[in-house]
Amino acid sequence: MSPNSEPVSHLLKEKCDWIISQTEQFASGKFWWLKVFLLCVCFSILFSGGIDSGLGDRGGYPESYFQKIDHPLLDVTKIYGINSHDANINFRLTVPVLLHLAGIHNHWSLPILTILAICSILVTSCILAYHITGDRVCACFIALNVSATYVGSFGFIWYYDAIAICQLALACLPRMPWWGRGILVFTASFTDERAWVASSLLLVGSFFLSGNQQNIFTRIRNPNFLAVAGGMLSYGLVRLALVKYAGLSQVTGGNGPGNWVVNCSYLHAAIWFSLEGGWLFYLLAVGALFLRRQFWEGTTLVFASLCFLGFALMIGDVLRSTIYIFPLLFICLNVVRQNETLPVFRIYCLLAFLISALGGNYNVYLGKITWFQPLLIHWLQTGLRTAYVWVYHLLPHTMPPS
């Protein structure tokens, strides 16, 4: 080794220290969270998925969405058939009811609402990470990590997913009152029923991972646990009432074990792209729980996540389903933070962000994987295509351009 050479580990440490010091400066000041939010939006658009340009090509949201806004209790299965995709929105009532009461019927209302929900997810992720870690640097890296995943991408502003996940994220806020948490679980479930299943992860977080309380009855009496359980139970009861008294039809067509068999071919992609770098904290959390001999908590966390993923794989929109595992990220953050020093935890947060940023964003849907092209790549592709056509018309040719 030459006298001027340095070990790779030393160089990496220097680079990490420089990035962390720059992040400390950036995340300073009174409105640091606003700067982090704007950085996340810019990163998401430029590098992590661009802006959904296909919404206009698809003709916007299906007409059934606006029919539900006009008449929230309309049974769309009688118009489109019980096995149609439009039938799936029969019980997705939170957004239609709110827009109906507000008298908003504009066709751009749903895309705008989705964009606002994604922005809220980014801000909430930053605030949640700060409450868990007490560190602005970690909060910045975690928010950037979310902006580099499907959940924080503006590359697909269609459907109610972002709105439902936003409500689940808000329900995770530590200072959220118990009644607000219950309402958010209830309304998120009526935004998309997958949020109802994902709420079970909030139960795991409030029951098994709530400090050092060992008494099972004390944990059950925890207001947060009761609020989530009450929200889930209320959803089930109100949904049954809507079937019986409002005449809404239950829809199960298109989902089931048959889809699970088909989606097995995309098992790795559907699971990986749901959290990307966030899976690092999941592995660390599970390892920490078992090392601390908290076998019950560790086993329950693994069992709950596997059950949710098993449910998600039974749906055709497989990645749109697995991303509802999003609250698991903050449960695992809380576990890992209790077992690591701040300098090491900062490295974990930075590493998670870099993994997600390098992984890119993709949609996994009915046997097809589609890349959410970053805006910079889209501009480059457009420029190259224009240059190719221009050169083609200048040169002699016998074949048309492809």
Side-chain angles (χ1 to χ4, degrees):
M1 182 180 294
S2 64
N4 295 327
S5 64
E6 295 182 84
V8 174
S9 58
H10 181 71
L11 292 174
L12 289 176
K13 184 179 183 304
E14 283 187 347
K15 293 298 181 183
C16 287
D17 290 342
W18 180 82
I19 293 173
I20 289 173
S21 66
Q22 293 298 310
T23 307
E24 282 181 334
Q25 295 180 25
F26 176 78
S28 61
K30 184 176 181 180
F31 298 102
W32 66 275
W33 60 270
L34 181 58
K35 291 192 292 183
V36 171
F37 162 68
L38 294 175
L39 176 64
C40 290
V41 171
C42 292
F43 182 87
S44 178
I45 293 174
L46 292 175
F47 302 103
S48 186
I51 299 177
D52 189 357
S53 60
L55 194 63
D57 298 335
R58 293 189 296 264
Y61 279 67
E63 186 60 29
S64 55
Y65 282 74
F66 300 98
Q67 290 172 327
K68 289 292 284 187
I69 293 173
D70 292 332
H71 307 285
L73 295 182
L74 172 69
D75 188 354
V76 291
T77 64
K78 295 178 180 177
I79 302 174
Y80 299 98
I82 200 166
N83 291 321
S84 64
H85 178 272
D86 299 275
N88 291 332
I89 68 171
N90 224 19
F91 290 93
R92 298 174 186 175
L93 298 175
T94 298
V95 175
V97 167
L98 291 177
L99 293 181
H100 179 81
L101 293 176
I104 299 174
H105 300 267
N106 189 288
H107 273 58
W108 283 104
S109 58
L110 294 180
I112 291 172
L113 195 59
T114 302
I115 291 173
L116 292 176
I118 297 171
C119 292
S120 180
I121 289 172
L122 296 175
V123 173
T124 304
S125 299
C126 179
I127 295 172
L128 266 171
Y130 179 71
H131 277 289
I132 292 171
T133 65
D135 182 60
R136 295 182 179 184
V137 173
C138 292
C140 182
F141 288 148
I142 292 301
L144 281 169
N145 171 73
V146 173
S147 75
T149 65
Y150 185 105
V151 173
S153 171
F154 296 90
F156 194 65
I157 50 175
W158 216 15
Y159 305 128
Y160 292 152
D161 301 321
I163 302 169
I165 293 173
C166 174
Q167 293 171 87
L168 291 178
L170 291 171
C172 293
L173 288 171
R175 294 184 181 178
M176 179 64 63
W178 64 268
W179 52 267
R181 203 180 309 272
I183 290 173
L184 284 167
V185 168
F186 177 79
T187 55
S189 301
F190 269 114
T191 303
D192 194 297
E193 53 276 1
R194 284 168 284 204
W196 182 80
V197 182
S199 298
S200 61
L201 298 172
L202 300 183
L203 285 179
V204 172
S206 60
F207 183 76
F208 291 99
L209 308 174
S210 55
N212 297 318
Q213 298 173 341
Q214 299 298 323
N215 190 305
I216 187 172
F217 298 105
T218 303
R219 294 187 180 192
I220 290 177
R221 291 197 299 269
N222 183 335
N224 291 333
F225 178 86
L226 293 175
V228 176
M232 295 178 70
L233 179 61
S234 299
Y235 167 78
L237 294 175
V238 172
R239 177 160 176 154
L240 290 175
L242 289 171
V243 173
K244 184 173 182 180
Y245 299 108
L248 293 183
S249 302
Q250 296 274 21
V251 179
T252 58
N255 304 318
N259 272 332
W260 200 96
V261 175
V262 174
N263 288 331
C264 273
S265 300
Y266 302 91
L267 185 68
H268 63 296
I271 294 176
W272 168 252
F273 288 115
S274 60
L275 286 180
E276 296 196 43
W279 287 114
L280 171 65
F281 292 105
Y282 176 77
L283 295 175
L284 291 170
V286 171
L289 289 172
F290 280 103
L291 286 174
R292 287 162 50 185
R293 305 185 69 81
Q294 293 179 278
F295 300 117
W296 192 20
E297 287 84 348
T299 302
T300 303
L301 183 62
V302 173
F303 180 74
S305 57
L306 289 178
C307 286
F308 176 80
L309 290 172
F311 157 78
L313 288 166
M314 291 192 294
I315 301 175
D317 294 341
V318 58
L319 185 60
R320 281 188 54 223
S321 303
T322 56
I323 58 171
Y324 279 84
I325 204 171
F326 183 65
L328 186 67
L329 171 63
F330 300 102
I331 295 172
C332 295
L333 272 178
N334 197 18
V335 175
V336 178
R337 181 66 186 97
Q338 295 172 15
N339 293 273
E340 284 293 354
T341 61
L342 182 59
V344 175
F345 196 79
R346 283 178 166 182
I347 298 297
Y348 289 153
C349 294
L350 173 59
L351 185 58
F353 162 56
L354 293 176
I355 292 172
S356 296
L358 293 173
N361 268 322
Y362 295 81
N363 189 17
V364 185
Y365 168 69
L366 293 179
K368 183 189 300 182
I369 300 180
T370 306
W371 183 31
F372 289 164
Q373 201 175 69
L375 194 59
L376 290 177
I377 300 296
H378 176 70
W379 286 342
L380 176 62
Q381 184 185 46
T382 302
L384 291 174
R385 183 185 295 117
T386 303
Y388 172 75
V389 173
W390 180 73
V391 171
Y392 169 82
H393 287 292
L394 288 179
L395 298 175
H397 53 273
T398 57
M399 298 291 292
S402 58

